[in-house]
Amino acid sequence: MKADYILFEPDVSTAADARLVVLTGDRPTGPLHLGHYIGSLRNRVDLQDTHDQYVLLADAQALTDNGDNPDKVVRNIFEVACDYLACGLDPEKTTICVQSCLPALPELTTLYMNLVTVARLERNPTIKEEIRSRGFERDIPAGFLCYPVAQAADITAFRATLVPVGDDQVPMIEQTNEIVRRVNRLVGIDLLPSCRAMLSKVGRLPGIDGAGKMSKSAGNALNLSATPVEISNAVKMMYTDKDHLRAADPGKIEGNVVFAYLDAFDPEPDAVRTLKEHYSAGGLGDSVVKKRLETVLQEFLAPIRTRRLQVSSDPGYVRDVLRQGTEAARAVTSSTLAQVKRAMGLPEI
Amino acid sequence: MKADYILFEPDVSTAADARLVVLTGDRPTGPLHLGHYIGSLRNRVDLQDTHDQYVLLADAQALTDNGDNPDKVVRNIFEVACDYLACGLDPEKTTICVQSCLPALPELTTLYMNLVTVARLERNPTIKEEIRSRGFERDIPAGFLCYPVAQAADITAFRATLVPVGDDQVPMIEQTNEIVRRVNRLVGIDLLPSCRAMLSKVGRLPGIDGAGKMSKSAGNALNLSATPVEISNAVKMMYTDKDHLRAADPGKIEGNVVFAYLDAFDPEPDAVRTLKEHYSAGGLGDSVVKKRLETVLQEFLAPIRTRRLQVSSDPGYVRDVLRQGTEAARAVTSSTLAQVKRAMGLPEI
């Protein structure tokens, strides 16, 4: 059996005859940040040249744990769409679509829910961990427990074969492939393709406080839409090596957030290597390294911010992108649903 | 607060200004039998003159515990539709529709699933009992656990205010009204109407073996499509009073299946009363009572069988009924879904 995941390789499709179909997306619960860029957005910008790529604004999934606050989800759909366009997702190459406007997805979800047991969902490691981290206990919404099934509906509806995810989401891909096998066995043909997780080669970007990964909820994020002042403040607050008290002392690279960001964003890796050597040996102050990082981040984010302002000041354009993407996605997903229902023998009225 | 249920009163709508909307239906997992007729079909024939009545062929719900056998469900859609028409449901008065062809229902289901906890579903007495009786334990399909939510989606999508159910289904109505209140509170207006269960005045019809209610799975049913020979055999096998060994002995009426059927189907209640007195006093043999019941059932079922043959030999007509009913139902349910999504602020693309 093929492994359920591969490492990120934009040119993986060249090995196969058909273009691989990639599905990714984000829960629109807040603005995207540098962690999203490193973890997925930049890969998407690469993938769109070589793959059929769908990017899902997963508002319906965001409602599974924001059921009592749809406003929060709804207002972020536009914001995240602007982030996408600002980062270089090209609507001519990538289909950007809104999940709640694709009725085939909940219909497939409810069909698949009959083929998955509650016990299996409760054993899903991602669900277990998220229940724990959200403090849900038994008060978990039914929609949240079933969201792996909804994700299987998303993936299969688009006939996606490659799904870029974080390593914590690999169990979701396994769950999807179980459902794929179950459906194919039930209807007696290989109707749905199985998929593979595509893991990013680089690790997660730490938060500016160095405490775990960058995340909005942890309050340690630097947004893609950050102003120059916000960028400057974030770099000032950034953790380095807490034992590196004087410039003359040797400093640690490992766990040093500033170097992690330089590794991720500095366009001159050789210069970063030299800086690291100097810092490790002693004689290089944090302020010098931070100054370089600030320049790098200002230069990196300036064109994104400009493009974002341009895009967000033309909401008609953003709406057109979402409308066209969603219409295209509706055609694909409805076609898959019709095939599944027909193969199950369900009536067409 | 209004009670969650009322007893069956076909003219209940005369008290209100608007016609009440009734939603009922059946899981198409087998032919309908006399138990369905007494428990619900005849009430529906009465209700269709005074109410806006929708009757749902609940194939999607039947899949929640027949996920691995869609064939069984699909082939019974046509059969149950024929039973409906044979019993006097009039497509001019009652909208007969197919659940799996109404995409608004799964979409509402997944929205509501975010507003109901797993713990609440596990506490639902109907679900608890059905998990027990089906031997599901933890291997319950996720769709089955969530079927009260799907039922709330059905009821609210049709804006039904009266739901004829068996008394074991009253917790489903309570669950629906909880969801109605939750949605209305969330969107800040009385968007969805609450509903009441309508309980049948008469008790359940026992199976021909007297062991519990008539049910297909118990093998003690007499189908509405039964042939004269099947009717005759069923009456012969029917339990009476096991201690009534000689005609001269006094016999018991309570628990006597033959009298239960005479009560349900004999058009002359006075004659049945006289028979009961005679039987209780002694001197009336089972064969005499059974002979009367056979005549009553043959006369009752003959026109239903004739009409059923007529209808089932014209599948184009049945398909037209289902198509027209389903189209009308699609309009109503899609409109409710659009209102709910709009009230939640979800995008319309």
Side-chain angles (χ1 to χ4, degrees), chain A residues 227-252:
Chain A
T227 62
V229 173
E230 285 168 340
I231 296 166
S232 179
N233 286 340
V235 174
K236 279 196 193 89
M237 288 164 59
M238 218 169 259
Y239 281 40
T240 52
D241 167 9
K242 67 177 170 41
D243 300 322
H244 187 238
L245 301 176
R246 286 167 307 196
D249 294 342
K252 267 199 308 206

PDB file of all heavy atoms in Angstrom, chain A residues 227-252:
ATOM      1  N   THR A 227       1.226  46.346   9.984  1.00  0.00           N
ATOM      2  CA  THR A 227       1.788  47.638   9.574  1.00  0.00           C
ATOM      3  C   THR A 227       3.280  47.647   9.893  1.00  0.00           C
ATOM      4  O   THR A 227       3.754  46.830  10.696  1.00  0.00           O
ATOM      5  CB  THR A 227       1.127  48.781  10.364  1.00  0.00           C
ATOM      6  OG1 THR A 227       1.427  48.581  11.755  1.00  0.00           O
ATOM      7  CG2 THR A 227      -0.385  48.803  10.174  1.00  0.00           C
ATOM      8  N   PRO A 228       4.034  48.593   9.302  1.00  0.00           N
ATOM      9  CA  PRO A 228       5.461  48.678   9.622  1.00  0.00           C
ATOM     10  C   PRO A 228       5.717  48.796  11.121  1.00  0.00           C
ATOM     11  O   PRO A 228       6.646  48.164  11.654  1.00  0.00           O
ATOM     12  CB  PRO A 228       5.910  49.940   8.874  1.00  0.00           C
ATOM     13  CG  PRO A 228       4.968  50.030   7.703  1.00  0.00           C
ATOM     14  CD  PRO A 228       3.653  49.511   8.205  1.00  0.00           C
ATOM     15  N   VAL A 229       4.891  49.562  11.833  1.00  0.00           N
ATOM     16  CA  VAL A 229       5.079  49.706  13.279  1.00  0.00           C
ATOM     17  C   VAL A 229       4.845  48.375  13.990  1.00  0.00           C
ATOM     18  O   VAL A 229       5.585  47.996  14.901  1.00  0.00           O
ATOM     19  CB  VAL A 229       4.140  50.805  13.842  1.00  0.00           C
ATOM     20  CG1 VAL A 229       4.207  50.842  15.366  1.00  0.00           C
ATOM     21  CG2 VAL A 229       4.485  52.161  13.243  1.00  0.00           C
ATOM     22  N   GLU A 230       3.807  47.661  13.574  1.00  0.00           N
ATOM     23  CA  GLU A 230       3.526  46.357  14.195  1.00  0.00           C
ATOM     24  C   GLU A 230       4.686  45.385  13.967  1.00  0.00           C
ATOM     25  O   GLU A 230       5.072  44.627  14.866  1.00  0.00           O
ATOM     26  CB  GLU A 230       2.222  45.757  13.643  1.00  0.00           C
ATOM     27  CG  GLU A 230       0.967  46.440  14.200  1.00  0.00           C
ATOM     28  CD  GLU A 230      -0.319  46.062  13.466  1.00  0.00           C
ATOM     29  OE1 GLU A 230      -0.242  45.580  12.312  1.00  0.00           O
ATOM     30  OE2 GLU A 230      -1.394  46.266  14.038  1.00  0.00           O
ATOM     31  N   ILE A 231       5.237  45.433  12.755  1.00  0.00           N
ATOM     32  CA  ILE A 231       6.384  44.560  12.458  1.00  0.00           C
ATOM     33  C   ILE A 231       7.553  44.915  13.377  1.00  0.00           C
ATOM     34  O   ILE A 231       8.164  44.039  14.011  1.00  0.00           O
ATOM     35  CB  ILE A 231       6.808  44.704  10.977  1.00  0.00           C
ATOM     36  CG1 ILE A 231       5.678  44.230  10.055  1.00  0.00           C
ATOM     37  CG2 ILE A 231       8.096  43.925  10.700  1.00  0.00           C
ATOM     38  CD1 ILE A 231       5.850  44.635   8.601  1.00  0.00           C
ATOM     39  N   SER A 232       7.821  46.210  13.462  1.00  0.00           N
ATOM     40  CA  SER A 232       8.929  46.686  14.282  1.00  0.00           C
ATOM     41  C   SER A 232       8.741  46.271  15.747  1.00  0.00           C
ATOM     42  O   SER A 232       9.659  45.744  16.382  1.00  0.00           O
ATOM     43  CB  SER A 232       8.999  48.212  14.136  1.00  0.00           C
ATOM     44  OG  SER A 232      10.027  48.726  14.922  1.00  0.00           O
ATOM     45  N   ASN A 233       7.533  46.448  16.265  1.00  0.00           N
ATOM     46  CA  ASN A 233       7.256  46.068  17.654  1.00  0.00           C
ATOM     47  C   ASN A 233       7.401  44.572  17.865  1.00  0.00           C
ATOM     48  O   ASN A 233       7.923  44.124  18.895  1.00  0.00           O
ATOM     49  CB  ASN A 233       5.842  46.504  18.058  1.00  0.00           C
ATOM     50  CG  ASN A 233       5.779  48.009  18.278  1.00  0.00           C
ATOM     51  OD1 ASN A 233       6.809  48.658  18.487  1.00  0.00           O
ATOM     52  ND2 ASN A 233       4.574  48.567  18.213  1.00  0.00           N
ATOM     53  N   ALA A 234       6.920  43.799  16.893  1.00  0.00           N
ATOM     54  CA  ALA A 234       7.000  42.343  17.023  1.00  0.00           C
ATOM     55  C   ALA A 234       8.458  41.907  17.106  1.00  0.00           C
ATOM     56  O   ALA A 234       8.816  41.059  17.930  1.00  0.00           O
ATOM     57  CB  ALA A 234       6.301  41.663  15.846  1.00  0.00           C
ATOM     58  N   VAL A 235       9.305  42.494  16.262  1.00  0.00           N
ATOM     59  CA  VAL A 235      10.726  42.107  16.292  1.00  0.00           C
ATOM     60  C   VAL A 235      11.342  42.523  17.628  1.00  0.00           C
ATOM     61  O   VAL A 235      12.111  41.763  18.223  1.00  0.00           O
ATOM     62  CB  VAL A 235      11.491  42.715  15.094  1.00  0.00           C
ATOM     63  CG1 VAL A 235      12.987  42.429  15.213  1.00  0.00           C
ATOM     64  CG2 VAL A 235      10.952  42.163  13.774  1.00  0.00           C
ATOM     65  N   LYS A 236      10.963  43.688  18.106  1.00  0.00           N
ATOM     66  CA  LYS A 236      11.482  44.138  19.417  1.00  0.00           C
ATOM     67  C   LYS A 236      11.139  43.145  20.519  1.00  0.00           C
ATOM     68  O   LYS A 236      11.941  42.844  21.390  1.00  0.00           O
ATOM     69  CB  LYS A 236      10.914  45.515  19.774  1.00  0.00           C
ATOM     70  CG  LYS A 236      11.642  46.666  19.102  1.00  0.00           C
ATOM     71  CD  LYS A 236      11.320  48.007  19.785  1.00  0.00           C
ATOM     72  CE  LYS A 236      11.789  49.148  18.903  1.00  0.00           C
ATOM     73  NZ  LYS A 236      10.759  49.588  17.924  1.00  0.00           N
ATOM     74  N   MET A 237       9.882  42.639  20.480  1.00  0.00           N
ATOM     75  CA  MET A 237       9.409  41.735  21.538  1.00  0.00           C
ATOM     76  C   MET A 237       9.943  40.312  21.383  1.00  0.00           C
ATOM     77  O   MET A 237       9.753  39.465  22.259  1.00  0.00           O
ATOM     78  CB  MET A 237       7.881  41.657  21.520  1.00  0.00           C
ATOM     79  CG  MET A 237       7.181  42.910  22.015  1.00  0.00           C
ATOM     80  SD  MET A 237       5.427  42.868  21.514  1.00  0.00           S
ATOM     81  CE  MET A 237       4.899  41.353  22.313  1.00  0.00           C
ATOM     82  N   MET A 238      10.551  40.034  20.236  1.00  0.00           N
ATOM     83  CA  MET A 238      10.886  38.656  19.896  1.00  0.00           C
ATOM     84  C   MET A 238      11.926  38.057  20.841  1.00  0.00           C
ATOM     85  O   MET A 238      12.881  38.724  21.220  1.00  0.00           O
ATOM     86  CB  MET A 238      11.417  38.630  18.470  1.00  0.00           C
ATOM     87  CG  MET A 238      10.967  37.428  17.682  1.00  0.00           C
ATOM     88  SD  MET A 238      11.394  37.671  15.944  1.00  0.00           S
ATOM     89  CE  MET A 238       9.830  38.168  15.250  1.00  0.00           C
ATOM     90  N   TYR A 239      11.726  36.803  21.234  1.00  0.00           N
ATOM     91  CA  TYR A 239      12.650  36.122  22.125  1.00  0.00           C
ATOM     92  C   TYR A 239      13.921  35.730  21.380  1.00  0.00           C
ATOM     93  O   TYR A 239      13.887  35.368  20.218  1.00  0.00           O
ATOM     94  CB  TYR A 239      11.986  34.866  22.708  1.00  0.00           C
ATOM     95  CG  TYR A 239      11.054  35.182  23.847  1.00  0.00           C
ATOM     96  CD1 TYR A 239      10.221  36.294  23.796  1.00  0.00           C
ATOM     97  CD2 TYR A 239      11.015  34.375  24.987  1.00  0.00           C
ATOM     98  CE1 TYR A 239       9.360  36.597  24.834  1.00  0.00           C
ATOM     99  CE2 TYR A 239      10.143  34.671  26.029  1.00  0.00           C
ATOM    100  CZ  TYR A 239       9.324  35.776  25.949  1.00  0.00           C
ATOM    101  OH  TYR A 239       8.479  36.057  26.980  1.00  0.00           O
ATOM    102  N   THR A 240      15.055  35.856  22.065  1.00  0.00           N
ATOM    103  CA  THR A 240      16.320  35.411  21.471  1.00  0.00           C
ATOM    104  C   THR A 240      16.879  34.290  22.358  1.00  0.00           C
ATOM    105  O   THR A 240      16.228  33.276  22.529  1.00  0.00           O
ATOM    106  CB  THR A 240      17.314  36.581  21.380  1.00  0.00           C
ATOM    107  OG1 THR A 240      17.425  37.200  22.669  1.00  0.00           O
ATOM    108  CG2 THR A 240      16.818  37.632  20.392  1.00  0.00           C
ATOM    109  N   ASP A 241      18.066  34.504  22.922  1.00  0.00           N
ATOM    110  CA  ASP A 241      18.628  33.547  23.881  1.00  0.00           C
ATOM    111  C   ASP A 241      18.648  34.267  25.212  1.00  0.00           C
ATOM    112  O   ASP A 241      19.359  35.254  25.389  1.00  0.00           O
ATOM    113  CB  ASP A 241      20.050  33.157  23.421  1.00  0.00           C
ATOM    114  CG  ASP A 241      20.816  32.419  24.527  1.00  0.00           C
ATOM    115  OD1 ASP A 241      20.201  32.061  25.564  1.00  0.00           O
ATOM    116  OD2 ASP A 241      22.024  32.201  24.338  1.00  0.00           O
ATOM    117  N   LYS A 242      17.830  33.788  26.161  1.00  0.00           N
ATOM    118  CA  LYS A 242      17.653  34.551  27.406  1.00  0.00           C
ATOM    119  C   LYS A 242      18.961  34.657  28.221  1.00  0.00           C
ATOM    120  O   LYS A 242      19.098  35.536  29.065  1.00  0.00           O
ATOM    121  CB  LYS A 242      16.531  33.966  28.271  1.00  0.00           C
ATOM    122  CG  LYS A 242      16.816  32.584  28.837  1.00  0.00           C
ATOM    123  CD  LYS A 242      15.648  32.132  29.736  1.00  0.00           C
ATOM    124  CE  LYS A 242      15.772  30.653  30.123  1.00  0.00           C
ATOM    125  NZ  LYS A 242      17.096  30.156  30.458  1.00  0.00           N
ATOM    126  N   ASP A 243      19.916  33.762  27.926  1.00  0.00           N
ATOM    127  CA  ASP A 243      21.192  33.825  28.659  1.00  0.00           C
ATOM    128  C   ASP A 243      22.228  34.705  27.952  1.00  0.00           C
ATOM    129  O   ASP A 243      23.336  34.872  28.439  1.00  0.00           O
ATOM    130  CB  ASP A 243      21.768  32.413  28.838  1.00  0.00           C
ATOM    131  CG  ASP A 243      20.808  31.537  29.627  1.00  0.00           C
ATOM    132  OD1 ASP A 243      20.186  32.062  30.578  1.00  0.00           O
ATOM    133  OD2 ASP A 243      20.661  30.354  29.269  1.00  0.00           O
ATOM    134  N   HIS A 244      21.853  35.235  26.793  1.00  0.00           N
ATOM    135  CA  HIS A 244      22.786  36.050  26.007  1.00  0.00           C
ATOM    136  C   HIS A 244      22.636  37.501  26.455  1.00  0.00           C
ATOM    137  O   HIS A 244      21.943  38.305  25.829  1.00  0.00           O
ATOM    138  CB  HIS A 244      22.443  35.898  24.515  1.00  0.00           C
ATOM    139  CG  HIS A 244      23.433  36.549  23.610  1.00  0.00           C
ATOM    140  ND1 HIS A 244      23.068  37.529  22.718  1.00  0.00           N
ATOM    141  CD2 HIS A 244      24.775  36.367  23.449  1.00  0.00           C
ATOM    142  CE1 HIS A 244      24.131  37.919  22.037  1.00  0.00           C
ATOM    143  NE2 HIS A 244      25.176  37.230  22.457  1.00  0.00           N
ATOM    144  N   LEU A 245      23.324  37.824  27.596  1.00  0.00           N
ATOM    145  CA  LEU A 245      23.071  39.116  28.223  1.00  0.00           C
ATOM    146  C   LEU A 245      23.963  40.220  27.665  1.00  0.00           C
ATOM    147  O   LEU A 245      23.569  41.364  27.584  1.00  0.00           O
ATOM    148  CB  LEU A 245      23.255  38.999  29.744  1.00  0.00           C
ATOM    149  CG  LEU A 245      22.308  37.958  30.384  1.00  0.00           C
ATOM    150  CD1 LEU A 245      22.607  37.802  31.872  1.00  0.00           C
ATOM    151  CD2 LEU A 245      20.842  38.335  30.153  1.00  0.00           C
ATOM    152  N   ARG A 246      25.201  39.832  27.247  1.00  0.00           N
ATOM    153  CA  ARG A 246      26.107  40.843  26.666  1.00  0.00           C
ATOM    154  C   ARG A 246      26.505  40.421  25.256  1.00  0.00           C
ATOM    155  O   ARG A 246      26.676  39.214  24.998  1.00  0.00           O
ATOM    156  CB  ARG A 246      27.368  40.982  27.539  1.00  0.00           C
ATOM    157  CG  ARG A 246      27.098  41.738  28.841  1.00  0.00           C
ATOM    158  CD  ARG A 246      28.240  41.589  29.788  1.00  0.00           C
ATOM    159  NE  ARG A 246      28.554  40.159  29.982  1.00  0.00           N
ATOM    160  CZ  ARG A 246      29.298  39.701  30.971  1.00  0.00           C
ATOM    161  NH1 ARG A 246      29.838  40.521  31.845  1.00  0.00           N
ATOM    162  NH2 ARG A 246      29.533  38.403  31.082  1.00  0.00           N
ATOM    163  N   ALA A 247      26.715  41.405  24.399  1.00  0.00           N
ATOM    164  CA  ALA A 247      27.065  41.126  23.004  1.00  0.00           C
ATOM    165  C   ALA A 247      28.325  40.253  22.917  1.00  0.00           C
ATOM    166  O   ALA A 247      28.441  39.389  22.049  1.00  0.00           O
ATOM    167  CB  ALA A 247      27.285  42.434  22.242  1.00  0.00           C
ATOM    168  N   ALA A 248      29.222  40.434  23.854  1.00  0.00           N
ATOM    169  CA  ALA A 248      30.491  39.704  23.803  1.00  0.00           C
ATOM    170  C   ALA A 248      30.328  38.209  24.071  1.00  0.00           C
ATOM    171  O   ALA A 248      31.135  37.388  23.628  1.00  0.00           O
ATOM    172  CB  ALA A 248      31.464  40.306  24.822  1.00  0.00           C
ATOM    173  N   ASP A 249      29.240  37.836  24.823  1.00  0.00           N
ATOM    174  CA  ASP A 249      29.034  36.429  25.169  1.00  0.00           C
ATOM    175  C   ASP A 249      28.655  35.611  23.937  1.00  0.00           C
ATOM    176  O   ASP A 249      28.019  36.117  23.021  1.00  0.00           O
ATOM    177  CB  ASP A 249      27.889  36.293  26.198  1.00  0.00           C
ATOM    178  CG  ASP A 249      28.273  36.926  27.534  1.00  0.00           C
ATOM    179  OD1 ASP A 249      29.484  37.132  27.767  1.00  0.00           O
ATOM    180  OD2 ASP A 249      27.341  37.231  28.316  1.00  0.00           O
ATOM    181  N   PRO A 250      28.990  34.304  23.970  1.00  0.00           N
ATOM    182  CA  PRO A 250      28.465  33.419  22.926  1.00  0.00           C
ATOM    183  C   PRO A 250      26.947  33.250  23.100  1.00  0.00           C
ATOM    184  O   PRO A 250      26.463  33.193  24.234  1.00  0.00           O
ATOM    185  CB  PRO A 250      29.177  32.083  23.179  1.00  0.00           C
ATOM    186  CG  PRO A 250      30.159  32.318  24.278  1.00  0.00           C
ATOM    187  CD  PRO A 250      29.848  33.613  24.948  1.00  0.00           C
ATOM    188  N   GLY A 251      26.227  33.211  21.985  1.00  0.00           N
ATOM    189  CA  GLY A 251      24.766  33.067  22.062  1.00  0.00           C
ATOM    190  C   GLY A 251      24.303  31.758  21.446  1.00  0.00           C
ATOM    191  O   GLY A 251      25.027  31.141  20.654  1.00  0.00           O
ATOM    192  N   LYS A 252      23.112  31.307  21.864  1.00  0.00           N
ATOM    193  CA  LYS A 252      22.568  30.045  21.334  1.00  0.00           C
ATOM    194  C   LYS A 252      21.680  30.323  20.105  1.00  0.00           C
ATOM    195  O   LYS A 252      20.882  31.268  20.099  1.00  0.00           O
ATOM    196  CB  LYS A 252      21.740  29.336  22.408  1.00  0.00           C
ATOM    197  CG  LYS A 252      22.556  28.330  23.205  1.00  0.00           C
ATOM    198  CD  LYS A 252      21.666  27.319  23.940  1.00  0.00           C
ATOM    199  CE  LYS A 252      20.619  28.031  24.768  1.00  0.00           C
ATOM    200  NZ  LYS A 252      20.115  27.300  25.914  1.00  0.00           N
TER     201      LYS A 252
END
